[in-house]
Amino acid sequence: MVSKSESDNRKLTDEERTDMLDSLRTIDQRSKSLKEFVQNFRSVNQIPEPVMTKIPVGEIISEVTHLFAAELNKHNIVLHTENGHAVHNIYADKNLTMQVLINLMKNAIEAMSNYKEGKDIRINVGNEGNRYVNINISDSGCGIAPEDIDQIFVPFYSTKKGGSGIGLSISQQIMQKQKGNIMVRSSPGRGSVFTLNFTC
């Protein structure tokens, strides 16, 4: 547009200026989106190798609940912890496991964003035989539709407007690297339960 106006020895019209600004804004927005995509792609493909140690479950649950205390209070969400301080140890990487718990807590809070009352998150710890420990995180949110339940761990698949679709994918990869597992049960309108399975 600028080259053409110069060759015609004239100034840009108001319409041309508007079109040019709109085009530049579009390019700018796409550039930001592509940059975010690349950063998310790197996140999915650059998960560090876990440093496995024995970790008291109560310790990491205590840390994550303190981390989210202000946000839970802000959104009027009631947090219930059960058996979190019992004598349970898991064999895992503490930092990576904290990241999984943070991802699940964020998802639980977002799942109840359109609710005004009856907002609860429960963290329950239990043994599965003598070799495994489960951490269950449940919410009373909107739940996950049956057609989405098999896709939620797929990288970049998101049911949330503006969601990156990497949180659950990264969480699954972290659990697999730790020789553990992540599972989900959900009912639309009745909430979801995510279960983290660790060796102990």
Side-chain angles (χ1 to χ4, degrees):
M1 284 179 176
V2 172
S3 296
K4 189 175 187 308
S5 69
E6 287 179 346
S7 66
D8 294 342
N9 196 26
R10 65 177 179 80
K11 292 183 178 181
L12 289 172
T13 66
D14 289 342
E15 184 178 358
E16 286 173 328
R17 287 176 184 277
T18 301
D19 287 346
M20 190 162 63
L21 285 171
D22 287 343
S23 297
L24 289 171
R25 287 191 189 100
T26 301
I27 292 169
D28 181 56
Q29 186 58 48
R30 285 299 302 142
S31 298
K32 289 176 181 176
S33 296
L34 287 169
K35 183 180 179 182
E36 184 179 346
F37 175 85
V38 171
Q39 289 172 337
N40 288 339
F41 186 83
R42 285 175 176 167
S43 296
V44 170
N45 288 278
Q46 293 183 353
I47 297 170
E49 288 300 315
V51 178
M52 306 293 281
T53 58
K54 287 281 186 181
I55 306 167
V57 175
E59 181 180 304
I60 56 172
I61 289 179
S62 204
E63 286 187 28
V64 79
T65 53
H66 279 102
L67 187 64
F68 280 92
E71 191 169 358
L72 293 172
N73 185 58
K74 175 184 173 183
H75 294 287
N76 297 314
I77 297 172
V78 179
L79 176 66
H80 309 269
T81 57
E82 301 169 13
N83 301 325
H85 295 283
V87 182
H88 295 284
N89 290 315
I90 57 174
Y91 190 57
D93 181 300
K94 182 178 179 180
N95 290 331
L96 291 177
T97 301
M98 279 292 293
Q99 186 59 57
V100 174
L101 291 170
I102 287 168
N103 289 344
L104 295 181
M105 287 292 289
K106 284 182 176 178
N107 285 353
I109 291 169
E110 289 173 4
M112 297 180 286
S113 60
N114 293 327
Y115 288 44
K116 291 186 177 180
E117 56 185 25
K119 298 189 287 187
D120 297 282
I121 293 177
R122 293 182 180 274
I123 302 178
N124 174 270
V125 180
N127 284 88
E128 185 179 323
N130 296 321
R131 295 184 56 194
Y132 301 100
V133 171
N134 289 338
I135 301 177
N136 302 295
I137 299 178
S138 60
D139 64 71
S140 57
C142 58
I144 303 167
E147 61 269 22
D148 293 322
I149 202 79
D150 292 332
Q151 304 294 321
I152 60 172
F153 295 110
V154 175
F156 309 113
Y157 182 90
S158 179
T159 60
K160 296 176 289 189
K161 186 177 180 180
S164 65
I166 64 167
L168 288 175
S169 174
I170 287 174
S171 296
Q172 184 184 57
Q173 289 187 57
I174 287 173
M175 292 305 297
Q176 289 173 345
K177 277 179 173 284
Q178 298 187 125
K179 308 300 182 186
N181 198 10
I182 179 171
M183 299 159 282
V184 60
R185 303 189 312 275
S186 187
S187 300
R190 299 182 64 182
S192 304
V193 182
F194 282 85
T195 298
L196 305 176
N197 180 255
F198 300 88
T199 54
C200 57

